[in-house]
Amino acid sequence: MTPRMINLRDQEVLLTGMAEAAQEAGIYLIGEQQGLGMEAVEVKGRNDFVSYVDRESERRIVRRLKALLPGAGFWAEEEARMDGDGDARWIIDPLDGTTNYIHGLPLYAVSIALENRGQVVAGLVYEPVHAEMFTA
């Protein structure tokens, strides 16, 4: 990726792609919640949990975002931490609210941001249960 700031037209295209990635992850999260047993949950720290659902949601988002902005780096909560070949980096929480999720509560979200040259230029939070999305 050539070093440059991302312009407003790029932001619209990127937000659309981010929304599609978040919605795909949200569909997956909803589908997996009912069958998730505590045996599938690992403890990362005090009140900090992770499951195969977090990891798979992250993989799905990363796959989509790689296609959307080739060369961008990633900083994600579970596994994806990689440098890109340019100034852009995706910041991802694939299941924001894991504790609520594993207890069957419908209060969780997918969070995605895009950082370019150290500044966040696009952000999205998607709450899949009520299909609510917030972007900036």
Side-chain angles (χ1 to χ4, degrees):
M1 184 168 97
T2 305
R4 64 181 176 85
M5 288 301 290
I6 293 173
N7 66 41
L8 290 176
R9 185 175 305 140
D10 293 339
Q11 285 179 331
E12 290 178 31
V13 170
L14 292 170
L15 280 171
T16 298
M18 292 165 65
E20 291 170 355
Q23 288 168 326
E24 178 186 329
I27 290 167
Y28 172 74
L29 294 173
I30 289 170
E32 292 296 309
Q33 188 175 26
Q34 261 192 328
L36 184 70
M38 289 306 290
E39 69 280 354
V41 176
E42 300 170 33
V43 177
K44 294 193 308 185
R46 182 177 164 93
N47 295 322
D48 191 8
F49 304 99
V50 66
S51 73
Y52 73 91
V53 178
D54 299 74
R55 292 185 180 109
E56 180 59 25
S57 177
E58 183 174 295
R59 280 191 282 279
R60 290 169 184 239
I61 293 166
V62 167
R63 184 183 70 244
R64 283 265 189 149
L65 297 179
K66 274 185 181 179
L68 182 63
L69 191 60
F74 285 87
W75 186 50
E77 186 175 15
E78 305 310 333
E79 297 175 346
R81 295 221 167 76
M82 59 192 94
D83 292 330
D85 59 10
D87 295 325
R89 175 172 63 169
W90 294 106
I91 302 166
I92 305 164
D93 188 341
L95 176 50
D96 193 0
T98 301
T99 301
N100 287 342
Y101 184 85
I102 64 176
H103 288 97
L105 300 173
L107 303 169
Y108 55 88
V110 175
S111 300
I112 304 171
L114 178 61
E115 178 185 73
N116 186 246
R117 292 186 177 180
Q119 293 184 355
V120 175
V121 295
L124 173 148
V125 175
Y126 177 59
E127 192 277 292
V129 173
H130 300 101
E132 291 185 316
M133 186 173 298
F134 307 91
T135 62

